[in-house]
């Protein structure tokens, strides 16, 4: 994201035309490119911290499956934005941020894992106000991107509910399970 913005600034160009343009075939390219394109430095900074924190959380707690979860969050949020967005160019990483936040939150709730539940509560504490962004607001804010990401995170959390981190089992729990399985 920063590399793209620096390139735009150094060469005095804009990549906004590579954003998501809903319901237009030419707008499909934005699914891949729009999260890397930002209106200005302020927009970029506002997206940088959540991407680092939420992305870091995803890759820390879901080590083995984090790359595929991130791919599906990224792709699904963008595709749904393309399907439901207003007919204007949508740019920024907000859809991915909302997808990460809702995935981490919902996954922590449905897994019944104490660590993930605690992370879920931290996400609500830090990013709870994000969820107001899924409601229609100013014309310059892509609430559709926020909503798409939010829904993508929920769907992916439900889909991956049985994969990823699990509770640590102690030796005595394993022995009890083995004893129960002996006829």
């Amino acid at each position: 994201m920063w590399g793209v913005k620096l390139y735009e600034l150094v060469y005095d160009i804009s990549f906004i035309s590579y954003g998501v343009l809903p319901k237009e075939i030419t707008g499909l390219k934005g699914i891949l490119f729009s999260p890397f394109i930002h209106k200005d430095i302020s927009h970029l900074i506002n997206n940088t911290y959540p991407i680092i924190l939420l992305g870091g959380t995803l890759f820390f707690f879901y080590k083995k499956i984090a790359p595929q979860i991130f791919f599906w969050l990224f792709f699904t949020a963008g595709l749904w934005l393309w399907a439901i967005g207003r007919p204007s160019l949508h740019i920024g990483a907000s859809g991915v941020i909302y997808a990460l936040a809702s995935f981490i939150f919902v996954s922590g709730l449905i897994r019944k894992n104490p660590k993930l539940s605690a992370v879920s509560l931290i996400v609500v504490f830090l990013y709870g106000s994000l969820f107001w962004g899924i409601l229609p607001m100013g014309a310059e804010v892509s609430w559709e991107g926020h909503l798409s990401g939010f829904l993508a995170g929920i769907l992916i959390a439900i889909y991956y509910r049985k994969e990823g981190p699990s509770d640590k089992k102690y030796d005595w729990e394993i022995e009890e399970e083995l004893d129960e399985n002996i006829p």
Side-chain angles (χ1 to χ4, degrees):
M1 295 183 324
W2 279 90
V4 169
K5 181 48 72 185
L6 289 173
Y7 190 87
E8 285 181 321
L9 293 172
V10 168
Y11 293 101
D12 195 31
I13 59 172
S14 174
F15 291 126
I16 288 177
S17 63
Y18 286 91
V20 173
L21 185 57
K23 300 172 190 92
E24 299 288 335
I25 296 299
T26 59
L28 285 170
K29 67 183 177 291
I31 294 170
L32 295 175
F33 299 127
S34 67
F36 301 102
I37 304 165
H38 292 81
K39 180 180 177 185
D40 53 32
I41 295 294
S42 175
H43 184 208
L44 179 59
I45 289 170
N46 290 335
N47 279 214
T48 298
Y49 293 118
I51 282 285
I52 290 170
L53 291 172
L54 295 169
T57 300
L58 174 72
F59 279 84
F60 180 80
F61 287 100
Y62 297 84
K63 291 172 183 68
K64 292 181 182 176
I65 59 172
Q68 63 193 64
I69 289 172
F70 188 82
F71 169 80
W72 285 113
L73 293 172
F74 187 101
F75 180 74
T76 306
L79 184 62
W80 287 355
L81 171 58
W82 181 84
I84 69 165
R86 289 172 283 173
S88 64
L89 289 165
H90 299 258
I91 57 170
S94 297
V96 176
I97 291 167
Y98 276 78
L100 286 165
S102 66
F103 173 84
I104 292 167
F105 175 70
V106 171
S107 182
L109 293 179
I110 64 178
R111 287 175 177 271
K112 298 177 184 167
N113 177 317
K115 287 181 186 175
L116 296 178
S117 295
V119 170
S120 225
L121 294 175
I122 292 169
V123 166
V124 168
F125 178 73
L126 293 175
Y127 297 108
S129 64
L130 275 178
F131 298 107
W132 287 107
I134 63 174
L135 303 173
M137 51 179 60
E140 288 195 19
V141 176
S142 177
W143 65 269
E144 301 99 322
H146 299 171
L147 178 62
S148 298
F150 180 76
L151 295 174
I154 293 170
L155 176 75
I156 305 299
I158 293 168
Y159 182 81
Y160 280 97
R161 72 187 174 277
K162 294 182 181 176
E163 295 184 49
S166 58
D167 287 333
K168 180 179 179 181
K169 290 202 177 200
Y170 296 95
D171 290 340
W172 60 270
E173 291 177 306
I174 295 170
E175 289 173 7
E176 284 179 1
E177 286 180 9
L178 290 174
D179 290 343
E180 290 173 4
N181 292 332
I182 295 175

